[in-house]
Amino acid sequence: QKEVEQDPGPLSVPEGAIVSLNCTYSNSAFQYFMWYRQYSRKGPELLMYTYSSGNKEDGRFTAQVDKSSKYISLFIRDSQPSDSATYLCAMSARGGGNKLTFGTGTQLKVEL
Amino acid sequence: GAVVSQHPSWVICKSGTSVKIECRSLDFQATTMFWYRQFPKQSLMLMATSNEGSKATYEQGVEKDKFLINHASLTLSTLTVTSAHPEDSSFYICSGGTGADTQYFGPGTRLTVL
């Protein structure tokens, strides 16, 4: 079993839709949770960074962490074609500047 | 955010040759640099972690004699793929860490070994 599981998609939604992306994990030592966006042939870009359980909102993006269920989510409101990318969840036991364990990424396409 | 550059952005080489990839933090000092490898439609897999002036720590299954990492300064790390073979063809991404919370990724280098 992989430490981090993420549905690879692809996920196709119409413009303006609410998108829900999810990851599950098995390592209870993970305390720090991140969502990265990666465009084709580019490096990952940090979108959201959370510590422990709870919600965090930044513009159209909301990250949720449920440590009791070992489940994290990223919600994108009012999705735009420019949101089309691969979204990677990542986790760490000791902070985002340390070793990260990534999910496989979910490919998202937002269509006009 | 902080900027990390990689050079070259893509490289094609013959089997058996060595390839060096540079990773630079342009506007910050990276106390730790990480090297990842990403195969098509797969996640980033950490290869090694390096701290400036010390030997790199390699992940299980990564051959340290094949993937040579040098972290000569707080702004430069290099990855050398020695005696490259077609199975080494991949997307190599570096990142620089400034502390416990943050890690900035480079744009990646696509290596194709013929």
Side-chain angles (χ1 to χ4, degrees):
Chain A
Q1 182 190 9
K2 293 180 182 177
E3 277 192 292
V4 180
E5 299 276 0
Q6 183 176 7
D7 186 341
L11 180 63
S12 183
V13 301
E15 184 179 10
I18 297 175
V19 177
S20 172
L21 304 168
N22 312 293
C23 288
T24 58
Y25 64 96
S26 58
N27 188 344
S28 57
F30 291 143
Q31 299 280 345
Y32 301 85
F33 305 91
M34 288 134 277
W35 285 95
Y36 285 87
R37 177 174 62 196
Q38 185 177 25
Y39 292 109
S40 181
R41 298 177 181 248
K42 300 291 184 184
E45 171 194 8
L46 180 64
L47 284 177
M48 300 291 282
Y49 178 61
T50 54
Y51 169 71
S52 196
S53 287
N55 293 0
K56 183 175 182 178
E57 188 173 319
D58 184 359
R60 296 186 295 112
F61 299 92
T62 300
Q64 286 186 352
V65 175
D66 182 349
K67 288 189 65 182
S68 63
S69 302
K70 295 189 176 65
Y71 187 88
I72 70 170
S73 300
L74 176 71
F75 297 95
I76 306 174
R77 291 184 299 281
D78 188 25
S79 56
Q80 303 295 311
S82 58
D83 295 328
S84 299
T86 296
Y87 290 80
L88 298 146
C89 64
M91 307 177 188
S92 173
R94 297 192 297 126
N98 294 285
K99 176 181 175 179
L100 300 181
T101 301
F102 282 86
T104 51
T106 299
Q107 187 179 351
L108 171 67
K109 185 173 183 180
V110 181
E111 304 197 66
L112 291 168
Chain B
V3 179
V4 175
S5 70
Q6 279 184 243
H7 179 79
S9 55
W10 60 270
V11 57
I12 301 173
C13 69
K14 293 182 179 180
S15 184
T17 61
S18 294
V19 174
K20 180 185 282 189
I21 302 170
E22 286 187 353
C23 176
R24 292 183 184 273
S25 56
L26 298 185
D27 51 3
F28 69 99
Q29 293 186 325
T31 52
T32 305
M33 283 190 170
F34 303 88
W35 286 95
Y36 295 83
R37 181 167 52 182
Q38 186 178 32
F39 291 107
K41 298 190 183 295
Q42 294 189 27
S43 186
L44 280 76
M45 297 297 295
L46 180 65
M47 299 175 66
T49 303
S50 72
N51 292 295
E52 184 257 344
S54 59
K55 289 184 178 180
T57 302
Y58 290 81
E59 294 298 302
Q60 192 173 10
V62 178
E63 300 173 58
K64 63 180 180 180
D65 294 329
K66 180 171 184 61
F67 298 100
L68 302 179
I69 290 173
N70 183 281
H71 193 164
S73 74
L74 289 172
T75 59
L76 174 64
S77 177
T78 60
L79 168 68
T80 301
V81 184
T82 62
S83 187
H85 290 284
E87 57 267 28
D88 298 322
S89 298
S90 188
F91 193 52
Y92 291 87
I93 304 176
C94 70
S95 68
T98 60
D101 289 336
T102 313
Q103 181 173 158
Y104 299 99
F105 286 82
T109 296
R110 183 160 301 281
L111 170 64
T112 301
V113 185
L114 301 176

